[in-house]
Every structure is written in structure tokens, then in C-alpha cells.
């Protein structure tokens, strides 16, 4: 539940920041009446993401088990790719996001067309965050037996909306640099577990057959089905019977990506 909460909180805040910056600029420039166009783009993107998520969930529930494992593995790989891009992109983009968005809004206003360019801009911004969330959550749901995951996702999104409104109104001050830095580190560990789990699913589908040797048995210490095992499985892809493939993919991803992210964070901090 917590991992779904955190991913939707982070994704929701990113989307809320984009919409909030656009809304603030429209208000300051005397074009607040065009906000209905922005909301049209936001709602359209949200409905599209929900529809895609439900379609994928329904599809994976109707195909045979072996093919289902292949779909779970493929979605996991897509989720890892999108998650990695999101974390590393946000690290660089956060510093210049406000100015970039304001320039984009001004360009959209200059094009005329009764603000329909704003619809497209808001739609693409929210759709990007929403699709990242859809693929990530489906991948996590497929590797965890926690039935409270959807509740956590809804709670995270609701919290992000509240924070976004308060940020827009000036009610709270959030250190976005630290927020994205610490959640970024956490999500890199999650992505590492998701990657090893994706190849585990591909092995079950008969697609990946390298490194199947079990290197340890932790079931007498922490079983997969125990409460803590379920939590660690959902967060970091824990399994009581890790294979060579599991360990290799976990650390092959974790070490370079975490190093790259932390180095970029230090560079961003020193440049301020």
C-alpha cells in the first residue's frame, strides 16, 4: 500500500506543479478565463490513463498463465525504463521547470486559437505523468499480493492534489529539491527490484533462461508470504529464493543508476 501511495504522491505532485505553474502564469497575465481549457486537457488525460490502465488490467486477467507472465515481465521492463527516465529527468528539469513552462504558455497564448494550445499542453503534461504511474503501478501490482495497493494509490493521488492546491495558494512551502532527491533514491531501489522481478516473470514465461540457479534460501528467516516478506517484495522485489539472474539484474541496475543520480544531485546542490 505504501509504495503505491508514494509513487502516486510523487507523480501527482509533479503533475500538480505543472498545472499550478500554468494556472499561476495565466492568472498573473490576465488570462485566468482560459483555465477551463487547461482543466479540459487535465481531465481528458486522466480519463485516458484510467482507460488504458483498466484495459491492460483486463487483458492480463484473460490470457493464459504463461503468456500472462510474459506481459507482466514486459510491463515491468517498460515501467523501469519510464521510472528511470522520470527520476533522472526531474533531477535536471526541476530547476528550470517554472521558466520553461511559462515560456511554453506564453507561446501558446501567442498562437491564439482561443487557448486550445493550452488544452494540448496540459493534456500531454498530465498524460505523461499518468502513463508513467499506470505502467509502474500495474508492474508493482503484478509482483505484490497486497490488496490495499489501489487504496494507497488513491490516497497518494488525493494527497498530491491537496498539496498542489496549497502550494498554488501559498499555504505551504515544500522543499521540492529535497523531496524529489529522497523519493528519487527510494524509487531507484524500487526500480532495481522491479527489474529483477520482471526477468523472473520472463523466466516463468520461458523467455529468459540465463542464471536460474538459486544462490540462497532465506525462507527460514523471512518467507515470501510473511507480512514483512510481502512488504519487502512489493518495495524492493524481495524473494526468499533469489537466483543469479535476480541478483545480477538488481545490482547491475542499482549501482550505476544510483551513482549517476547522487552525482547529479551533488552537482545541482553545489551550483546553487
Amino acid at each position: 500500500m505504501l509504495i503505491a501511495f508514494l509513487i502516486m504522491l510523487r507523480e501527482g505532485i509533479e503533475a500538480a506543479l505543472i498545472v499550478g505553474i500554468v494556472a499561476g502564469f495565466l492568472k498573473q497575465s490576465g488570462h485566468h478565463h482560459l483555465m477551463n481549457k487547461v482543466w479540459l486537457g487535465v481531465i481528458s488525460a486522466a480519463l485516458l490513463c484510467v482507460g488504458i490502465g483498466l484495459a491492460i488490467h483486463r487483458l492480463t486477467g484473460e490470457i493464459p498463465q504463461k503468456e500472462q507472465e510474459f506481459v507482466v515481465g514486459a510491463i515491468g521492463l517498460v515501467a523501469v525504463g519510464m521510472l528511470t527516465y522520470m527520476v533522472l529527468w526531474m533531477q535536471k528539469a526541476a530547476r528550470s521547470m517554472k521558466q520553461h513552462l511559462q515560456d511554453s504558455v506564453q507561446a501558446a497564448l501567442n498562437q491564439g486559437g482561443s487557448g486550445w494550445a493550452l488544452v494540448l499542453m496540459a493534456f500531454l503534461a498530465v498524460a505523461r505523468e499518468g502513463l508513467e504511474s499506470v505502467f509502474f503501478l500495474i508492474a508493482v501490482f503484478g509482483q505484490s499480493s497486497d490488496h490495499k495497493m489501489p487504496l494507497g494509490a488513491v490516497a497518494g493521488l488525493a494527497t498530491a492534489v491537496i498539496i498542489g492546491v496549497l502550494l498554488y495558494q501559498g499555504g505551504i512551502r515544500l522543499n521540492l529539491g529535497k523531496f524529489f532527491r529522497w523519493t528519487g533514491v527510494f524509487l531507484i531501489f524500487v526500480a532495481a527490484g522491479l527489474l529483477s522481478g520482471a526477468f523472473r516473470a520472463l523466466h516463468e514465461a520461458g523467455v529468459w533462461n540465463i542464471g536460474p540457479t538459486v544462490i540462497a534460501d532465506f525462507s527460514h528467516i523471512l518467507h515470501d508470504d510473511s507480512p514483512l516478506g510481502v512488504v519487502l517484495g512489493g518495495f524492493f522485489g524481495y524473494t526468499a529464493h533469489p537466483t543469479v539472474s535476480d541478483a545480477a539484474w538488481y545490482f547491475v541496475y542499482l549501482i550505476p543508476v544510483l551513482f549517476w543520480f547522487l552525482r547529479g544531485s551533488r552537482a545541482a546542490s553545489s551550483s546553487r
Side-chain angles (χ1 to χ4, degrees):
M1 176 178 176
L2 182 58
I3 187 172
F5 175 86
L6 289 175
I7 187 62
M8 289 306 298
L9 176 64
R10 180 189 170 101
E11 291 292 306
I13 286 179
E14 287 186 27
L17 280 175
I18 294 173
V19 175
I21 291 172
V22 172
F25 183 77
L26 289 176
K27 183 177 181 180
Q28 293 173 5
S29 61
H31 295 89
H32 193 260
H33 62 284
L34 293 177
M35 269 304 297
N36 62 328
K37 300 290 176 48
V38 175
W39 287 122
L40 177 61
V42 170
I43 294 172
S44 299
L47 291 176
L48 174 67
C49 294
V50 171
I52 291 176
L54 291 175
I56 294 175
H57 177 72
R58 186 170 184 178
L59 174 65
T60 56
E62 294 180 349
I63 61 179
Q65 181 65 32
K66 192 172 183 178
E67 285 77 6
Q68 190 174 129
E69 291 291 347
F70 175 78
V71 173
V72 169
I75 290 176
L77 294 179
V78 172
V80 171
M82 297 180 75
L83 182 64
T84 305
Y85 172 79
M86 174 195 74
V87 169
L88 297 178
W89 175 83
M90 196 62 189
Q91 179 191 55
K92 296 180 179 180
R95 287 169 286 171
S96 58
M97 177 185 287
K98 184 175 182 179
Q99 186 60 50
H100 176 72
L101 281 174
Q102 288 179 345
D103 292 342
S104 298
V105 172
Q106 186 61 60
L109 293 175
N110 293 339
Q111 292 177 7
S114 302
W116 285 106
L118 291 174
V119 176
L120 179 61
M121 192 173 80
F123 175 85
L124 292 176
V126 175
R128 185 190 64 191
E129 306 298 337
L131 289 175
E132 287 175 354
S133 301
V134 166
F135 280 100
F136 186 77
L137 289 175
I138 289 176
V140 171
F141 289 172
Q143 296 186 21
S144 174
S145 58
D146 187 353
H147 300 296
K148 295 182 180 180
M149 282 281 194
L151 180 60
V154 173
L157 183 59
T159 304
V161 171
I162 294 172
I163 291 175
V165 171
L166 293 176
L167 284 172
Y168 171 69
Q169 295 180 346
I172 63 173
R173 300 294 178 186
L174 181 65
N175 189 321
L176 295 175
K178 289 184 177 180
F179 173 80
F180 288 121
R181 187 179 307 123
W182 287 111
T183 56
V185 169
F186 171 77
L187 289 177
I188 288 172
F189 277 92
V190 172
L194 196 59
L195 182 64
S196 64
F199 276 93
R200 199 178 309 134
L202 292 176
H203 173 72
E204 294 295 329
V207 176
W208 176 260
N209 296 308
I210 300 176
T213 305
V214 176
I215 58 178
D217 183 0
F218 300 115
S219 58
H220 60 289
I221 300 175
L222 185 61
H223 199 275
D224 289 337
D225 296 329
S226 66
L228 181 58
V230 170
V231 172
L232 293 179
F235 272 84
F236 309 116
Y238 169 80
T239 174
H241 303 89
T243 64
V244 173
S245 177
D246 293 335
W249 282 114
Y250 189 90
F251 290 107
V252 163
Y253 175 89
L254 178 67
I255 294 174
V257 175
L258 186 61
F259 173 77
W260 190 4
F261 180 80
L262 293 177
R263 185 180 66 173
S265 296
R266 286 195 295 269
S269 299
S270 61
S271 65
R272 292 191 182 101

